[in-house]
C-alpha cells in the first residue's frame, strides 16, 4: 500500500512524514509532491492507493488534482486538507467522491484514524476489483470450455456416436455443470453466401454478424443456447438446452425468422436442419443423425428440414428422367425446355421425398453422359472442354442443393451449346487453327495437339480442315514451316541447320528433303541463289 502527500508547504509535508506512524498503517512507501504537476507524474509512474492533498496551492488546487484522478479512473482514496471551512470546497469534494475533507491545523491522531479507514476502504476496493476481474476471466474461460466441450462432441460424432462414459469424463475435465439427463437439442445451419468465397477479414466480419443474429433470435425463456460453433466452412451447429418440454414449432418459427433475416443482412441463403432432442446421455447418437441427414438430403435453399421427418421417409431406387426426350431437346437446340425439364424432375423428386444426394449424384451422371454423348456426335471432346476453375467449383458444389445443381447443369448445357454453335462455323475453326500454326510453327504440331486447341476429335478436325481448305492439316503445317524457312534463308545469315530447328525440324535430312519437295532446291542451294554474295560452306 502506497500514499502520496501533496502540499506546497514543505513544513506540512515534513510534519506528516514524521508524526504519522506509517508502518502501523501498513503503508510501504510515502511519496511527496509540492504541486499538482509533480503529483500527476508520480501517480502516472507509481502505484498509489491513498492521496492526501492540500486544496489551496499556487500551481493548481487539490480539487483539480482530484478531478484529474477521477477522469483517468485511478482507484485512489483521497483526503483533502484546507485552512478554510468553505462550504463550496466541501461540496466540490463530495461531488468528486473524496474520501474525507479535513480542516487544518492538522490533529495527527484524528488524521491517523482517517488514513486507517482509507486503507481499509482501499483494500476492500482492490478485493472487489479483483473479484470482478476474476469473474470476467472465469466467464470468458467458461465460454471457451463450453465451446471446446461441444466441439469435441460434434467432431467425435461425425464418425461414431460418442459414448456416455466419454461425455461424463469431458464434463468433469472441463468442470461443467451439466447433468446427464439434461434435455439437449442441436440445430445445423447451411449458409450459401451470394459472393462465394471471402478473405479472412471479410469472413471474420461475416461470422461476427451471423453470431449476433443467431444469439438474438435464440434468446428465449424456453431454452438456453449452450454453444454456436462452425464445424466446417459455412456450416454451423447450435446446441440448445431446454428448460421445459421441447417444442419443434418454436424452433421452426425461429428458423423461419433466421431465413428472413439472413437474406438481407448476411447476403446469403440458408438451410436450417432441426435435430432430435434427448438427454445429454444420448447426444452422440442425436448429433450423428443430424450430421448424417445433412450429408444425405438434397436441400432447397431457405427451407427448414427436420431429422424426425427424415427418419420416417422410405428409401426408393433411382428412377431416371426421360433421357430420350431430353436428348431430343438438345438436338433441337431447345435449351430452355431442357433446363426446365431437369429442374421439374428434381423438384418433383424432392416433393415426393425420394431425392437424396446418392440419387442426385446418379441423376447428374446421367445428364453429364447425355451432354458428353451429344458433343461426341459433333466431334467435340467434352473432357477437354470442361476444364478449369469454373467447372471444378460448380461440379464440387453441385450436390449441396437443388439450386447448386441447377447452376451446374445450366453451365454444362450452355457451354455445350455455345461450342456446338462455334463448331457449326467451320471457317471460324479453320481460321483459329491457321492462326495457331502461323504463331507456333516452331513447336511440335501433331494432329492431336491441334485438335486439343479447339476441343475437337483429331479425325473430325482433319476432315473439317481438308474440306474447308482443300489441303490436309499435315500439308498445311509443312507449307507454313517451309515458307518461314525460305524467309529466314533469304534475310538472315543464320545457318541452315539452325533454321531447320527454328521451324520445327530437329532432323536436318528430313527438313532438307521436305524443302526440296516444296521449293525444288535443297536449302543450301536456295540460300546461295538468294544471297550470292555469301560464301556458304557445307552444313551452313
Amino acid at each position: 500500500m502506497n500514499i502520496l502527500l501533496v502540499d506546497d508547504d514543505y513544513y506540512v509535508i515534513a510534519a506528516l512524514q514524521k508524526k504519522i506512524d506509517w508502518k502501523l498503517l501498513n503503508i510501504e512507501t510515502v511519496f511527496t509532491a509540492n504541486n499538482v504537476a509533480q503529483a500527476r507524474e508520480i501517480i502516472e509512474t507509481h502505484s498509489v492507493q491513498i492521496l492526501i492533498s492540500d486544496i489551496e496551492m499556487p500551481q493548481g488546487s487539490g480539487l483539480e488534482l482530484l478531478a484529474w484522478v477521477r477522469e483517468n479512473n485511478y482507484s485512489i482514496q483521497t483526503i483533502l486538507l484546507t485552512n478554510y471551512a468553505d462550504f463550496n470546497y466541501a461540496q466540490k469534494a463530495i461531488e468528486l467522491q473524496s474520501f474525507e475533507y479535513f480542516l487544518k491545523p492538522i490533529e495527527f491522531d484524528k488524521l491517523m484514524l482517517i488514513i486507517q479507514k482509507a486503507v481499509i476502504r482501499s483494500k476492500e476496493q482492490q478485493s472487489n476489483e479483483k473479484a470482478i476481474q476474476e469473474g470476467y476471466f472465469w466467464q470468458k474461460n467458461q465460454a471457451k470450455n463450453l465451446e471446446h466441450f461441444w466441439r469435441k462432441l460434434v467432431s467425435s460424432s461425425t464418425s461414431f456416436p460418442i459414448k456416455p462414459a466419454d461425455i461424463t469424463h469431458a464434463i468433469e475435465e472441463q468442470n461443467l455443470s451439466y447433468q446427464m439427463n439434461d434435455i439437449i437439442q442441436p440445430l445445423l445451419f447451411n449458409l450459401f453466401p451470394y459472393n462465394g468465397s471471402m478473405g479472412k477479414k471479410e469472413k471474420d466480419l461475416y461470422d461476427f454478424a451471423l453470431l449476433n443474429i443467431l444469439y438474438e433470435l435464440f434468446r428465449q425463456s424456453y431454452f438456453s443456447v449452450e454453444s454456436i460453433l462452425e464445424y466446417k466452412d459455412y456450416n454451423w451447429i447450435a446446441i440448445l438446452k431446454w428448460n421445459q418440454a421441447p417444442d419443434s414449432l418454436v424452433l421452426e418459427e425461429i428458423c423461419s425468422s433466421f431465413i428472413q433475416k439472413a437474406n438481407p443482412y448476411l447476403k446469403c441463403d440458408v438451410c436450417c436442419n432441426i435435430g432430435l432432442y434427448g438427454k445429454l446421455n444420448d447426444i452422440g447418437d442425436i448429433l450423428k443423425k443430424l450430421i448424417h441427414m445433412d450429408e444425405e438430403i438434397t436441400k432447397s435453399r431457405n427451407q427448414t428440414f427436420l431429422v424426425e421427418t427424415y427418419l420416417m421417409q422410405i428409401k426408393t431406387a433411382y428412377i431416371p428422367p426421360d433421357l430420350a426426350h431430353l436428348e431430343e431437346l438438345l438436338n433441337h437446340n431447345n435449351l430452355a425446355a431442357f433446363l426446365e425439364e431437369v429442374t421439374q424432375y428434381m423438384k418433383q423428386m424432392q416433393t415426393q421425398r425420394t431425392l437424396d444426394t446418392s440419387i442426385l449424384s446418379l441423376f447428374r451422371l446421367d445428364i453429364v453422359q447425355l451432354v458428353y454423348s451429344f458433343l461426341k456426335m459433333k466431334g467435340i471432346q467434352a473432357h477437354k472442354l470442361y476444364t478449369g476453375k469454373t467447372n471444378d467449383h460448380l461440379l464440387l458444389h453441385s450436390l449441396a442443393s437443388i439450386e447448386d445443381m441447377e447452376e451446374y447443369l445450366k453451365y454444362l448445357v450452355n457451354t455445350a451449346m455455345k461450342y456446338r454453335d462455334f463448331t457449326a462455323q467451320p471457317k471460324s475453326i479453320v481460321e483459329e487453327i491457321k492462326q495457331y500454326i502461323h504463331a507456333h510453327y516452331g513447336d511440335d504440331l501433331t494432329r492431336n495437339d491441334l485438335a486439343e486447341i479447339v476441343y475437337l476429335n483429331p479425325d473430325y478436325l482433319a476432315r473439317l480442315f481438308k474440306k474447308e481448305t482443300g489441303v490436309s492439316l499435315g500439308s498445311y503445317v509443312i507449307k507454313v514451316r517451309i515458307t518461314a524457312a525460305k524467309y529466314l534463308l533469304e534475310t538472315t545469315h543464320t545457318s541452315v541447320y539452325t533454321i531447320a530447328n527454328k521451324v520445327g525440324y530437329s532432323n536436318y535430312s528430313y527438313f532438307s528433303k521436305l524443302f526440296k519437295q516444296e521449293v525444288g532446291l535443297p536449302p543450301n542451294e536456295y540460300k546461295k541463289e538468294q544471297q550470292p554474295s555469301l560464301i556458304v560452306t557445307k552444313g551452313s
Side-chain angles (χ1 to χ4, degrees), residues 408-504:
Y408 171 67
L409 295 182
K410 190 180 296 183
Y411 157 80
L412 187 77
V413 178
N414 272 328
T415 302
M417 290 305 182
K418 283 180 183 177
Y419 212 76
R420 192 281 309 269
D421 292 343
F422 173 69
T423 57
Q425 303 172 29
K427 288 184 179 178
S428 298
I429 294 174
V430 169
E431 191 59 36
E432 186 170 340
I433 291 296
K434 282 183 175 181
Q435 288 178 9
Y436 187 87
I437 292 170
H438 280 276
H440 301 86
Y441 57 78
D443 297 341
D444 189 16
L445 297 178
T446 67
R447 191 170 64 171
N448 288 342
D449 295 330
L450 294 171
E452 282 191 10
I453 297 164
V454 287
Y455 311 120
L456 292 179
N457 178 277
D459 293 335
Y460 179 78
L461 174 63
R463 290 195 301 271
L464 184 67
F465 194 91
K466 179 76 178 284
K467 182 180 178 182
E468 289 298 312
T469 63
V471 179
S472 72
L473 196 53
S475 297
Y476 189 82
V477 171
I478 292 171
K479 181 180 177 183
V480 171
R481 284 174 167 173
I482 297 303
T483 300
K486 285 170 63 179
Y487 176 77
L488 291 172
L489 289 168
E490 292 168 6
T491 61
T492 71
H493 297 286
T494 308
S495 69
V496 177
Y497 181 83
T498 301
I499 290 173
N501 274 285
K502 279 191 175 184
V503 297

Side-chain angles (χ1 to χ4, degrees), residues 34-103:
N34 299 121
N35 55 56
V36 171
Q38 288 179 1
R40 286 186 182 181
E41 186 176 344
I42 290 169
I43 291 171
E44 287 175 337
T45 55
H46 297 86
S47 173
V48 174
Q49 287 73 44
I50 299 173
L51 168 67
I52 299 178
S53 175
D54 188 17
I55 290 181
E56 305 89 0
M57 293 182 289
Q59 297 180 36
S61 73
L63 291 173
E64 291 172 350
L65 176 60
L66 178 56
W68 177 83
V69 166
R70 296 293 175 251
E71 285 173 7
N72 288 275
N73 297 315
Y74 288 108
S75 299
I76 299 176
Q77 304 299 318
T78 304
I79 301 167
L80 294 174
L81 305 177
T82 182
N83 288 314
Y84 306 100
D86 189 321
F87 175 74
N88 290 326
Y89 278 170
Q91 186 180 35
K92 188 66 176 175
I94 292 169
E95 288 176 2
L96 293 170
Q97 301 173 0
S98 71
F99 179 74
E100 189 64 80
Y101 179 79
F102 195 78
L103 288 173

Side-chain angles (χ1 to χ4, degrees), residues 323 326 338 342 363-371 409 412:
L323 296 174
L326 291 174
F338 180 92
V342 295
F363 167 72
R364 181 183 64 183
L365 181 61
D366 274 345
I367 301 301
V368 168
Q369 288 180 340
L370 186 67
V371 171
L409 295 182
L412 187 77

Side-chain angles (χ1 to χ4, degrees), residues 229-293:
L229 54 93
E230 188 175 26
Y231 88 102
K232 65 181 181 180
D233 286 347
Y234 299 107
N235 288 266
W236 293 74
I237 285 183
I239 306 294
L240 310 181
K241 186 175 82 169
W242 284 92
N243 303 320
Q244 59 183 53
D247 189 340
S248 293
L249 290 177
V250 170
L251 298 183
E252 288 186 64
E253 289 176 7
I254 295 174
C255 286
S256 178
S257 298
F258 176 48
I259 289 169
Q260 291 173 10
K261 287 180 180 291
N263 295 162
Y265 297 127
L266 297 175
K267 307 299 181 190
C268 74
D269 291 323
V270 176
C271 282
C272 298
N273 304 280
I274 300 176
L276 300 171
Y277 64 82
K279 293 180 180 180
L280 179 57
N281 188 67
D282 302 316
I283 192 62
D285 186 55
I286 291 171
L287 285 168
K288 175 69 176 175
K289 287 175 179 174
L290 174 63
I291 293 169
H292 180 72
M293 181 190 79

Side-chain angles (χ1 to χ4, degrees), residues 123-138:
K123 287 180 178 179
E124 288 176 353
Q125 187 172 4
Q126 287 177 344
S127 178
N128 291 338
E129 288 176 354
K130 184 179 179 182
I132 291 170
Q133 191 176 41
E134 285 177 350
Y136 166 75
F137 286 122
W138 182 86

Side-chain angles (χ1 to χ4, degrees), residues 290-516:
L290 174 63
I291 293 169
H292 180 72
M293 181 190 79
D294 177 63
E295 292 171 346
E296 288 297 315
I297 63 171
T298 298
K299 307 174 187 74
S300 280
R301 297 187 184 188
N302 303 317
Q303 288 192 19
T304 298
F305 301 88
L306 285 81
V307 173
E308 185 179 4
T309 305
Y310 168 74
L311 293 175
M312 294 167 56
Q313 295 174 12
I314 300 172
K315 294 274 186 178
T316 57
Y318 169 56
I319 303 174
D322 188 343
L323 296 174
H325 176 58
L326 291 174
E327 184 179 15
E328 187 179 349
L329 292 175
L330 279 181
N331 289 328
H332 286 85
N333 201 26
N334 197 341
L335 181 59
F338 180 92
L339 292 173
E340 185 179 351
E341 288 273 350
V342 295
T343 300
Q344 285 301 322
Y345 168 84
M346 288 189 291
K347 289 185 175 178
Q348 182 181 357
M349 293 284 282
Q350 190 179 51
T351 302
Q352 296 171 355
R353 302 193 181 278
T354 56
L355 187 63
D356 58 27
T357 50
S358 60
I359 289 177
L360 191 62
S361 181
L362 292 172
F363 167 72
R364 181 183 64 183
L365 181 61
D366 274 345
I367 301 301
V368 168
Q369 288 180 340
L370 186 67
V371 171
Y372 275 37
S373 177
F374 168 79
L375 290 171
K376 186 177 181 181
M377 290 175 61
K378 307 296 179 183
I380 301 170
Q381 298 190 100
H383 67 285
K384 299 289 186 182
L385 180 61
Y386 294 108
T387 57
K389 290 183 178 179
T390 299
N391 178 78
D392 294 345
H393 175 79
L394 293 174
L395 178 61
L396 179 66
H397 292 88
S398 60
L399 298 178
S401 69
I402 283 181
E403 290 80 5
D404 285 294
M405 182 58 76
E406 285 179 310
E407 190 175 357
Y408 171 67
L409 295 182
K410 190 180 296 183
Y411 157 80
L412 187 77
V413 178
N414 272 328
T415 302
M417 290 305 182
K418 283 180 183 177
Y419 212 76
R420 192 281 309 269
D421 292 343
F422 173 69
T423 57
Q425 303 172 29
K427 288 184 179 178
S428 298
I429 294 174
V430 169
E431 191 59 36
E432 186 170 340
I433 291 296
K434 282 183 175 181
Q435 288 178 9
Y436 187 87
I437 292 170
H438 280 276
H440 301 86
Y441 57 78
D443 297 341
D444 189 16
L445 297 178
T446 67
R447 191 170 64 171
N448 288 342
D449 295 330
L450 294 171
E452 282 191 10
I453 297 164
V454 287
Y455 311 120
L456 292 179
N457 178 277
D459 293 335
Y460 179 78
L461 174 63
R463 290 195 301 271
L464 184 67
F465 194 91
K466 179 76 178 284
K467 182 180 178 182
E468 289 298 312
T469 63
V471 179
S472 72
L473 196 53
S475 297
Y476 189 82
V477 171
I478 292 171
K479 181 180 177 183
V480 171
R481 284 174 167 173
I482 297 303
T483 300
K486 285 170 63 179
Y487 176 77
L488 291 172
L489 289 168
E490 292 168 6
T491 61
T492 71
H493 297 286
T494 308
S495 69
V496 177
Y497 181 83
T498 301
I499 290 173
N501 274 285
K502 279 191 175 184
V503 297
Y505 296 110
S506 57
N507 186 320
Y508 174 76
S509 298
Y510 182 61
F511 164 70
S512 183
K513 178 182 176 181
L514 290 176
F515 191 92
K516 185 175 181 180

